[in-house]
Amino acid sequence: MAEYNPKSLKAQEFIHDGEILATLEYAEANKNNIELINEILEKARPKKTEEGCVCAGLTHREASVLLACDDPAVIERIYEIAEEIKLAFYGNRIVIFAPLYLSNYCINGCVYCPYHRQNKTIARKKLTQEEVKAEVIALQDMGHKRLAIEAGEDPKNNPIEYILECINTIYSVNHKNGAIRRVNVNIAATTVENYRKLKDAGIGTYILFQETYHKESYEKLHPSGPKSDYAYHTEAMDRAMEGGIDDVGLGVLFGLELYKYEFAGLLMHAEHLEAVHGVGPHTISVPRIKKADDIDPTAFDNSISDDIFAKITACIRLAVPYTGIIISTRESEAVRSKLLRLGVSQVSGGSRTSVGGYTQEERPHDTEQFDVSDQRTLDEVVHWLMKNGHIPSFCTACYREGRTGDRFMSLCKSGQILNCCHPNALMTLTEYLTDYAKEWTKETGFQMIEKELKKIPKDKVRKIAEQNIEDIKNSNRRDFRF
Ligand code: SAM
């Protein structure tokens, strides 16, 4: 029997079933231990030090105790600290992105995904480079600057060369003042060599959802195809980092397995990356199963309520304070509103989850990966964010300035966000407002920018930001960044 070892490169040693079960037992035994809970909450709070604001984060065991606790007063406290952390490290900025589906050809048998090989009802489609270009123009015309590309796994139809060609095409399109400045990639687990190719193609984050950390369930849920290999899938992030990718994004598909098990597994994965590579995940996504072509979400009996979902998100915020949390349009406006306060730092907007969906007037459903709950346009999402006090940010500066991996973490810790990410958010928001926004969004946005500029502590930085904002409004100069 394998021993638990966060530093091991073997899936079953760093995601150790015995350690997860012991964690759940420990959490259950201590869920009313208010003394311990108060200690954990105190540890999670951001602290001011000489080097700036720091946060200790929590171990998977500590965070699991909080997740197990049902006391409403404790949950309220968890929410307050989650918001405190969010404001300390991310401010009120929310980064915006959109998914771009390249191909839904897939040879896997994932039972929750409509792209599974056995599905004969779904139309199969793969974008040509001309179609990629057209999609990118449509996305640029909405105002997007950051994409997450998505594809099924099919070495014949979607080989790595196809993905690389698409990335190249995406970066090469400049329509009017538009540009895609960061392409994140969500494709199946692959080899170190292929990760190196993705790195060389200039990708941002490599995203791969674990789906479930429970090996036995994983094998049942992935009965066929390359994805059925639990170890190969679970060890993918180590190969990605070996291939030179600094920023990796984890995620669990909530609803497949018991959420407390997944939560502990997810944090153990983050601890493993930190232990082996010296840097934790750049982002964590929290998708829940949705209805899709031949997929009925009620067939999965581990679905979680909105309240539990909020609690999970807040506990992730406390456990890994320097990791971005992503919430997609799988969730409704109401759920997204609540979660934004609890530590979410990135949202998608105006998303279409079908292959070629952005170039069509009406939302197409034939090749869709899942039903989109939040169907608002990007402009409506931007407007809504601002009305709720968040700054929509189209910033992609960090990775383009080489601030990836641990360098991004040091920026977070140094408290320089207000002198760097904050002005970058305001300048990219100005680009959006000037080039793409509807009148009512423009009005709200420019008022917000005026107010937010005052929060930049360094005089010199503030003056440069003000000048750049004027330049964006009055000329075609774009892409200023700190
Ligand atoms: N083929 C790659 C892979 O297997 O990792 C790319 C990922 S797929 C295009 C994106 C993600 O969508 C999956 O990792 C899965 O978590 C999620 N997904 C699949 N079916 C879903 C459903 N019915 N509802 C919500 N999310 C789903």
Side-chain angles (χ1 to χ4, degrees):
M1 182 63 191
E3 293 228 338
Y4 173 49
N5 177 8
K7 285 198 166 150
S8 165
L9 292 175
K10 288 196 183 132
Q12 278 181 269
E13 293 178 6
F14 65 83
I15 304 295
H16 188 266
D17 181 62
E19 172 57 21
I20 299 185
L21 295 178
T23 298
L24 301 189
E25 224 173 274
Y26 173 77
E28 197 52 34
N30 285 291
K31 68 178 189 184
N32 296 317
N33 180 347
I34 199 69
E35 211 174 302
L36 176 68
I37 287 172
N38 282 335
E39 257 172 50
I40 299 174
L41 289 172
E42 186 48 36
K43 180 181 171 195
R45 284 192 48 231
K47 318 256 172 354
K48 290 233 159 60
T49 68
E50 275 176 17
E51 286 115 59
C53 191
V54 292
C55 229
L58 298 176
T59 65
H60 61 275
R61 284 210 177 202
E62 291 164 339
S64 292
V65 171
L66 297 187
L67 187 66
C69 178
D70 295 322
D71 180 342
V74 171
I75 297 174
E76 205 35 57
R77 193 72 197 106
I78 295 172
Y79 288 178
E80 280 166 15
I81 297 173
E83 192 169 5
E84 234 181 280
I85 296 173
K86 161 81 172 48
L87 291 173
F89 296 116
Y90 300 86
N92 52 344
R93 289 166 300 109
I94 297 288
V95 168
I96 309 256
F97 75 100
L100 171 58
Y101 282 77
L102 300 177
S103 166
N104 66 355
Y105 283 95
C106 194
I107 59 166
N108 285 314
C110 316
V111 304
Y112 48 83
C113 178
Y115 292 173
H116 67 96
R117 183 180 208 155
Q118 288 75 14
N119 187 355
K120 302 286 180 233
T121 58
I122 198 162
R124 300 286 170 173
K125 193 168 161 55
K126 167 187 167 181
L127 298 179
T128 62
Q129 295 312 303
E130 274 314 300
E131 287 169 331
V132 171
K133 225 183 239 177
E135 288 278 291
V136 171
I137 289 176
L139 282 155
Q140 288 183 4
D141 278 345
M142 288 159 75
H144 278 294
K145 299 284 186 271
R146 175 189 293 248
L147 301 183
I149 56 172
E150 311 273 340
E153 179 166 17
D154 184 332
K156 274 211 185 104
N157 284 298
N158 324 323
I160 193 72
E161 291 71 27
Y162 170 72
I163 305 291
L164 296 169
E165 199 184 352
C166 292
I167 295 171
N168 207 15
T169 302
I170 295 168
Y171 279 135
S172 71
V173 178
N174 284 102
H175 179 65
K176 297 183 182 164
N177 284 334
I180 298 301
R181 300 175 183 152
R182 178 173 177 132
V183 178
N184 296 333
V185 173
N186 183 9
I187 60 163
T190 185
T191 58
V192 174
E193 197 191 340
N194 285 348
Y195 286 124
R196 202 161 283 131
K197 290 179 184 168
L198 288 170
K199 162 81 181 170
D200 292 344
I203 70 159
T205 312
Y206 172 64
I207 301 163
L208 181 70
F209 300 161
Q210 178 63 28
E211 321 299 5
T212 175
Y213 282 96
H214 192 282
K215 185 169 183 288
E216 222 172 281
S217 302
Y218 183 95
E219 285 163 357
K220 282 194 193 127
L221 293 158
H222 303 92
S224 59
K227 195 167 168 178
S228 60
D229 185 338
Y230 176 83
Y232 189 73
H233 188 80
T234 311
E235 293 159 9
M237 295 314 193
D238 296 295
R239 291 194 301 279
M241 287 189 152
E242 200 187 324
I245 295 177
D246 290 334
D247 289 345
V248 297
L250 304 180
V252 155
L253 186 55
F254 284 102
L256 298 178
E257 243 303 332
L258 295 172
Y259 71 89
K260 290 179 183 167
Y261 191 100
E262 303 293 25
F263 178 80
L266 182 64
L267 294 186
M268 282 162 73
H269 201 170
E271 287 164 12
H272 161 72
L273 296 177
E274 180 91 48
V276 175
H277 308 280
V279 53
H282 186 64
T283 55
I284 287 182
S285 300
V286 287
R288 287 195 284 187
I289 304 181
K290 296 281 304 176
K291 195 190 150 347
D293 194 70
D294 68 340
I295 307 297
D296 172 10
T298 60
F300 300 88
D301 45 16
N302 291 306
S303 68
I304 48 172
S305 67
D306 290 351
D307 285 344
I308 296 290
F309 190 48
K311 195 170 160 197
I312 293 171
T313 308
C315 288
I316 294 176
R317 180 68 304 138
L318 268 56
V320 283
Y322 305 115
T323 296
I325 302 182
I326 302 181
I327 184 126
S328 75
T329 55
R330 288 177 183 86
E331 300 299 333
S332 65
E333 174 182 340
V335 170
R336 293 194 342 148
S337 279
K338 178 161 185 187
L339 265 58
L340 281 171
R341 301 246 164 256
L342 303 180
V344 165
S345 52
Q346 280 193 38
V347 300
S348 45
S351 305
R352 299 233 164 145
T353 60
S354 47
V355 184
Y358 293 107
T359 38
Q360 304 191 28
E361 192 78 14
E362 289 290 314
R363 180 178 293 277
H365 295 290
D366 57 342
T367 62
E368 212 168 39
Q369 199 196 10
F370 53 82
D371 276 3
V372 168
S373 294
D374 187 341
Q375 302 208 356
R376 292 171 298 169
T377 62
L378 178 60
D379 199 65
E380 286 165 339
V381 171
V382 166
H383 191 262
W384 159 77
L385 284 171
M386 295 188 302
K387 279 283 173 202
N388 286 286
H390 306 286
I391 307 172
S393 172
F394 293 86
C395 179
T396 53
C398 270
Y399 117 98
R400 292 161 76 222
E401 293 292 327
R403 292 188 295 259
T404 54
D406 54 353
R407 277 154 292 176
F408 170 75
M409 305 281 169
S410 0
L411 177 80
C412 254
K413 292 177 195 175
S414 68
Q416 281 310 306
I417 290 232
L418 272 177
N419 280 317
C420 184
C421 304
H422 192 73
N424 282 342
L426 299 179
M427 293 187 298
T428 55
L429 177 59
T430 305
E431 291 185 348
Y432 175 80
L433 298 174
T434 309
D435 292 335
Y436 308 104
K438 295 248 180 340
E439 274 314 312
W440 68 319
T441 308
K442 256 187 201 167
E443 206 177 297
T444 313
F446 285 128
Q447 278 168 14
M448 176 173 228
I449 288 171
E450 216 180 296
K451 226 173 61 200
E452 293 290 336
L453 273 168
K454 300 198 175 92
K455 292 188 189 162
I456 301 173
K458 278 194 189 150
D459 268 358
K460 195 172 158 204
V461 173
R462 192 173 54 254
K463 287 202 175 101
I464 296 173
E466 280 167 351
Q467 181 56 50
N468 292 346
I469 284 173
E470 282 313 302
D471 269 4
I472 296 167
K473 284 187 194 167
N474 300 313
S475 75
N476 280 335
R477 293 187 62 205
R478 298 288 178 272
D479 203 14
F480 295 99
R481 58 181 186 266
F482 288 99

